[in-house]
Amino acid sequence: MEKLEAKLAFVRQMSDEFRTTLDASSAMYRLRMLIDDIQAIGKSFEVAPPENPYRNWRTFGVDIVSYYAVGFITCLEWHARARFADFLTFRPGGIKEDDLKKDVSAKVLGRLIAEKMSIPHFVAVTKNISTADSYLSTFVRIFEALDLKPNPNELVHVIPATAKSGAGSGIECLRYVFEYRNALVHEISSMQIGHPLFQDYLDCDDALALGRFVEAVIASIETTISASGPEDFPGKLKPDGTVTDVDSEIEKEISLLESELTQRIGGFSDALLHSRSAMEHEQEMIFRATELHKRWIDLKAPPRRALKRGRLSYLKSLLAALD
């Protein structure tokens, strides 16, 4: 029961568009934070190398750098879960029976519906992404459903592998990163505690190369989604890895509908002057409301967006009535 409640609490947060970090841009942002971190540490070590307890047996004596691989895989897992949630939200018919078998019992489904929580987000956050194959198969499923090309396997295959991995292709290198992380987290073997000559560790250059490789994997998939995915697919990224601004997109759609309705309904232009004035006053009220201010939390964003979405919904209803 405690495990279920923890999952539901997590889904509740991830379903809230103003609190969620379950998106592709967060995965890329976190990955680039780790890459910047490695570069900073590498520069520090150049000036003041850490003491090496292994003397001449190992060229690099700090084990903690190897654990950047754990962070890289977290970013890949998050990326796959985020896009799977986006896909199921965009196309609910894409949910398969197997998606619901593991965690979504009738009781859980009832809770999700009663609390108006997102079923796609529950399915996505409970999805197991623990291998390179499960990561790639998630995107193969999304790409095939949306008719996106080239296939994710083809995209990753051509990404140059890192020297440390010894892999002959991008897919082999991706498998190496997952397997390295899994061994690091779940095992204590000669890889960690054997003779120093045979221990498998990452120095800063190795870790940076793996980070850059993972960045290329995510970027290759996101570039294809942005370029070829449906225009209204959620959370499409811009070239710099940031997400398209939702409020700006809503405002553009409002402007287009207002222009069309001005041409099709007599008297709409007069009403438009009053509605725009009212919208401006509402926005100004929200902006100045000190009651909606708390430290570190923007309580003004939800009502601001709700105001715009209300206007957009009204305009769509008018247009539908005409058609």
Side-chain angles (χ1 to χ4, degrees):
M1 180 62 71
E2 288 182 7
K3 188 175 181 181
L4 172 60
E5 292 303 323
K7 285 182 179 179
L8 291 174
F10 186 64
V11 172
R12 201 173 289 114
Q13 178 181 338
M14 292 301 107
S15 301
D16 184 337
E17 67 175 325
F18 295 100
R19 297 169 61 208
T20 188
T21 54
L22 189 64
D23 49 59
S25 62
S26 294
M28 183 65 89
Y29 183 82
R30 176 58 178 160
L31 176 61
R32 287 172 174 167
M33 282 178 64
L34 294 172
I35 289 172
D36 289 344
D37 198 57
I38 296 167
Q39 290 178 309
I41 288 176
K43 290 177 181 177
S44 297
F45 284 174
E46 287 175 6
V47 176
E51 183 178 343
N52 189 342
Y54 304 101
R55 300 184 184 276
N56 296 325
W57 292 107
R58 271 176 54 167
T59 57
F60 189 74
V62 183
D63 261 350
I64 196 64
V65 173
S66 299
Y67 282 83
Y68 277 102
V70 178
F72 298 154
I73 295 301
T74 299
C75 294
L76 287 168
E77 291 174 340
W78 203 249
H79 178 223
R81 289 192 180 108
R83 280 309 184 197
F84 196 56
D86 290 337
F87 166 63
L88 295 181
T89 300
F90 178 74
R91 187 164 292 176
I95 294 180
K96 297 181 179 179
E97 186 177 350
D98 286 345
D99 297 327
L100 305 175
K101 282 182 177 178
K102 181 174 178 286
D103 290 290
V104 189
S105 63
K107 183 178 180 180
V108 171
L109 192 59
R111 283 284 302 278
L112 292 172
I113 294 171
E115 298 187 33
K116 296 182 173 58
M117 282 190 280
S118 165
I119 294 173
H121 280 76
F122 186 88
V123 172
V125 300
T126 56
K127 187 174 179 60
N128 183 26
I129 311 287
S130 58
T131 65
D133 291 339
S134 59
Y135 175 83
L136 288 170
S137 65
T138 299
F139 283 104
V140 167
R141 179 173 163 184
I142 294 170
F143 273 46
E144 287 179 350
L146 300 179
D147 196 26
L148 302 181
K149 292 180 176 59
N151 184 285
N153 288 300
E154 296 172 15
L155 290 171
V156 176
H157 178 76
V158 299
I159 297 174
T162 66
K164 174 73 173 178
S165 71
S169 70
I171 290 179
E172 289 179 13
C173 188
L174 186 63
R175 289 191 179 120
Y176 166 82
V177 185
F178 270 94
E179 290 166 6
Y180 187 90
R181 187 287 304 259
N182 291 343
L184 198 64
V185 171
H186 300 297
E187 302 172 13
I188 298 177
S189 65
S190 57
M191 167 182 163
Q192 291 90 29
I193 62 174
H195 191 284
L197 278 176
F198 301 104
Q199 291 178 17
D200 190 5
Y201 59 90
L202 302 179
D203 62 23
C204 289
D205 290 337
D206 296 329
L208 181 60
L210 278 184
R212 293 292 190 201
F213 169 79
V214 171
E215 182 181 33
V217 169
I218 295 177
S220 68
I221 290 171
E222 287 304 313
T223 298
T224 304
I225 291 174
S226 294
S228 307
E231 191 168 337
D232 53 346
F233 189 77
K236 291 174 77 170
L237 301 188
K238 295 185 285 189
D240 63 356
T242 59
V243 72
T244 303
D245 182 65
V246 174
D247 292 292
S248 295
E249 292 302 308
I250 294 174
E251 288 167 5
K252 286 179 186 176
E253 196 170 356
I254 288 173
S255 180
L256 288 172
L257 289 175
E258 287 176 342
S259 296
E260 182 175 351
L261 289 166
T262 297
Q263 301 299 318
R264 298 182 65 179
I265 298 180
F268 183 83
S269 57
D270 291 334
L272 184 58
L273 294 174
H274 295 289
S275 62
R276 282 181 175 170
S277 176
M279 283 282 284
E280 289 172 4
H281 281 84
E282 293 281 1
Q283 295 272 26
E284 182 68 14
M285 179 275 295
I286 294 171
F287 176 76
R288 294 184 178 279
T290 57
E291 296 86 351
L292 296 176
H293 177 75
K294 284 188 178 180
R295 289 182 65 188
W296 320 121
I297 302 174
D298 183 7
L299 298 176
K300 299 177 182 180
R304 262 199 309 262
R305 190 169 297 172
L307 181 65
K308 294 172 188 175
R309 281 188 171 145
R311 175 66 177 169
L312 181 60
S313 178
Y314 165 69
L315 295 173
K316 285 181 175 179
S317 295
L318 272 181
L319 193 61
L322 290 174
D323 297 334

